[in-house]
Every structure is written in C-alpha cells, then in structure tokens.
Amino acid sequence: MEVDRSGLQSGPPVAGPIRTCIGCRGRDSRSTLLRIVVETDDLGRTTVVPDPRRRLPGRGAWLHADIACLDLAVRRRAFSRAFRRRVDGSDAVRRWLEHLGSNLS
C-alpha cells in the first residue's frame, strides 16, 4: 500500500483515467463506468442517454452501471449539475441499465 499526501494509505493504483460516478460519488476507472450525454429532441426537451461506446458528442458524465447509482443521481439532481443545464428525464438510461441487468441474469 502506498501512502498519499495526507498520510492515509491508499489502495492499489487503478490503470487508466479515473472518473467520478455522479450517483454514488465513488471514483473508478473510465472502463468500468458508463458515459452519459444529453440529447435534445425537436420540442427542446433535454434527456440523458447512455453512451456505452463513448463516441457521442458533447459534455459527458459518468455513472456506475447500477440502478442504485442512477437513483442517487436522480435524487441528488446530479445530472443538471454535471451538464450545467436543466435535464428533464433519465428514462433512456434506466431502460438501458434494466436491459443490461436482464442480459446478465
């Protein structure tokens, strides 16, 4: 174990870029988190959509692929803060996570 600047022991270093989950605020490698982006429809409503390939344009936020982290992010209004704009819905992300969970079972 290494000792960081505060004198506390830190875990083993994670390879690759580190990102923070907007739901649980846990730090993890980019490869284990799901990227979320904002999409605006024709009526001007903004919703968050999953970006599993990490290729969609725009500002991204990161979230563990877990319904509990999504619920925390919604409850804390973390999407609006992360994207610096009002976000109306997160249904697409919820459907994607539920679909992912049903495929793993």
Side-chain angles (χ1 to χ4, degrees):
M1 291 254 147
E2 295 182 22
V3 177
D4 65 3
R5 294 186 322 182
S6 65
L8 300 174
Q9 291 182 349
S10 61
V14 179
I18 302 297
R19 301 289 185 258
T20 301
C21 172
I22 63 171
C24 68
R25 305 292 298 157
R27 295 172 53 111
D28 216 337
S29 68
R30 186 177 73 171
S31 61
T32 61
L33 296 171
L34 173 65
R35 184 172 186 259
I36 308 291
V37 295
V38 171
E39 194 172 77
T40 305
D41 64 5
D42 296 336
L43 301 174
R45 291 184 303 233
T46 56
T47 59
V48 291
V49 294
D51 182 18
R53 292 182 31 186
R54 300 175 182 93
R55 299 285 186 265
L56 294 176
R59 184 176 181 85
W62 299 87
L63 183 74
H64 283 112
D66 185 16
I67 296 289
C69 284
L70 175 64
D71 291 338
L72 278 170
V74 169
R75 188 172 64 214
R76 294 177 55 240
R77 298 182 188 108
F79 290 117
S80 295
R81 266 195 314 281
F83 294 116
R84 300 178 185 167
R85 64 198 303 191
R86 183 171 178 232
V87 177
D88 295 327
S90 61
D91 295 336
V93 176
R94 183 172 301 279
R95 282 192 305 271
W96 192 87
L97 290 175
E98 288 170 350
H99 177 71
L100 179 68
S102 67
N103 285 345
L104 294 178
S105 302

